[in-house]
Amino acid sequence: MFSEQVPSLVPARGSVTTRAIGWAIEQLRREHATISGLGGQLGIAWKTAWRAIRPELERLAADESRFAGVTSIGVDEHIWHHGDPRRKGPKELTGMVDLTRDENGRPHARLLDLVPGRSKKAYADWLTQRGEAFRAGIGVAALDPFGGYKSAIDDELADAVAVLDAFHVVKLGTQAVDEVRRRVQQDTTGHRGRKGDPLYGIQRLLRAGAENLTDKQLNRLAAAIEANDAHQKVYIAWRCAQDLRAAYRTRDTTHGRALAEQILTTFHTCPIPEIARLGRTLRRWREAFLAYFTTGRANNGGTEAINGIIELARRLARGYRNRDNYRLRMLLAAGGLTP
């Protein structure tokens, strides 16, 4: 009589084979699958499927080797639920993203972790937990203009260069223009913008880059500005925002830095209060603002891309109740469990 000994495919007290667990994890990682859908394909309940998958994800998340080789890091806040904080805890999470570039200079972003809170402490504690070797290896730290994250970088990543994200800087300029437009609209008409008001008709044009406007659109812009002498304030603010965009768009980073330094010298003296406030903000972030031009255009764009992946995974699941489960699923979906 012949018999063959084979390794068990089902762990002790388990109900799903190891091969099925591996297949399910790949479906979650690559095919945007859901636990409910996988359970249906395997003929098991959601609870049974997740009870089999979760230990493997926890094992991968606890492997510190996945943090090896990180030389550039990004950070951003993230809202993981819109329910009652008393039931689900804080809505805000701080997400850390690996922005290390490959040999061709291209970043391949992956989520490193999600921790509760949006504060200096949340980011600093996570950096401390990673150890001295990890912190010493970070050369560039990208961030949005939030002072808490900047303080954490200054305290924990003393040798890293903090870089203010270009997209958010340009966004600050666009917001300033919009504020000037609304203020002038109120001062000249006494009401919010309405159909037929010159400034109301160009609000979208003021948010665009001058290089993207057609001749017809530029003529509309000029006509609205010339409709009232007070509208010149809006035009000046728009030109300042265009100068800010131009600093980032230039192909020569040396020239771009020169334009940025000129902005730092002039904006805070502008008689338009919104632009002067923008200038003071940029002066407070001077080193991080200028670092974009000396770090190979380092930015937080990869972090925003990871946020997009997270939002997709959350919509597929139609929300989460458990923050720990949420963290594991997002780490898997956004590449955080792969060294």
Side-chain angles (χ1 to χ4, degrees), residues 81-330:
H81 75 86
H82 297 279
D84 188 348
R86 292 173 295 181
R87 294 181 56 195
K88 294 186 177 181
K91 296 182 179 183
E92 298 86 1
L93 298 179
T94 291
M96 282 63 65
V97 175
D98 179 12
L99 299 177
T100 305
R101 302 186 181 190
D102 62 16
E103 59 275 7
N104 297 318
R106 292 192 297 263
H108 293 283
R110 63 187 180 99
L111 180 65
L112 294 176
D113 219 337
L114 289 170
V115 297
R118 177 185 181 264
S119 63
K120 171 186 176 180
K121 185 178 186 305
Y123 191 21
D125 287 351
W126 184 86
L127 290 171
T128 301
Q129 292 169 7
R130 300 285 71 78
E132 180 62 32
F134 175 85
R135 297 194 299 273
I138 302 298
V140 174
L143 75 160
D144 301 344
F146 173 53
Y149 293 153
K150 179 60 164 60
S151 296
I153 292 172
D154 292 342
D155 291 348
E156 303 297 333
L157 301 176
D159 296 330
V161 178
V163 183
L164 196 59
D165 184 53
F167 170 82
H168 286 85
V169 173
V170 173
K171 184 179 178 181
L172 289 177
T174 303
Q175 288 175 342
V177 176
D178 214 33
E179 290 173 7
V180 175
R181 178 189 62 79
R182 291 197 299 267
R183 177 170 61 81
V184 173
Q185 171 76 32
Q186 285 285 350
D187 291 345
T188 55
T189 66
H191 58 73
R192 296 176 60 183
R194 299 173 183 172
K195 184 177 180 181
D197 292 340
L199 292 182
Y200 182 77
I202 62 170
Q203 58 178 325
R204 291 187 179 181
L205 299 183
L206 293 172
R207 296 169 186 162
E211 71 280 357
N212 297 322
L213 298 180
T214 64
D215 290 341
K216 181 178 180 180
Q217 290 172 324
L218 289 172
N219 290 335
R220 280 178 53 201
L221 180 65
I225 297 300
E226 293 170 0
N228 190 311
D229 289 342
H231 295 179
Q232 289 297 323
K233 297 177 183 178
V234 179
Y235 179 73
I236 293 172
W238 181 72
R239 285 308 319 169
C240 289
Q242 296 304 310
D243 290 343
L244 193 56
R245 287 174 56 89
Y248 285 115
R249 287 180 54 82
T250 181
R251 294 186 177 183
D252 182 6
T253 54
T254 302
H255 178 52
R257 181 183 172 92
L259 293 177
E261 290 178 338
Q262 185 177 3
I263 288 170
L264 291 173
T265 304
T266 58
F267 272 27
H268 71 287
T269 63
C270 182
I272 300 174
E274 292 84 355
I275 298 301
R277 186 188 65 219
L278 173 62
R280 292 192 297 270
T281 298
L282 293 177
R283 285 169 70 87
R284 286 198 303 270
W285 289 85
R286 179 185 179 89
E287 293 183 2
F289 173 46
L290 296 177
Y292 173 87
F293 305 98
T294 58
T295 55
R297 300 181 187 273
N299 60 80
N300 219 17
T303 305
E304 298 298 335
I306 291 297
N307 276 340
I309 294 175
I310 291 175
E311 291 294 337
L312 172 61
R314 187 176 66 181
R315 286 196 297 270
L316 290 172
R318 298 185 181 180
Y320 286 79
R321 299 179 182 178
N322 185 292
R323 189 179 65 221
D324 294 333
N325 291 349
Y326 182 83
R327 170 179 175 267
L328 291 173
R329 288 289 303 279
M330 296 309 125

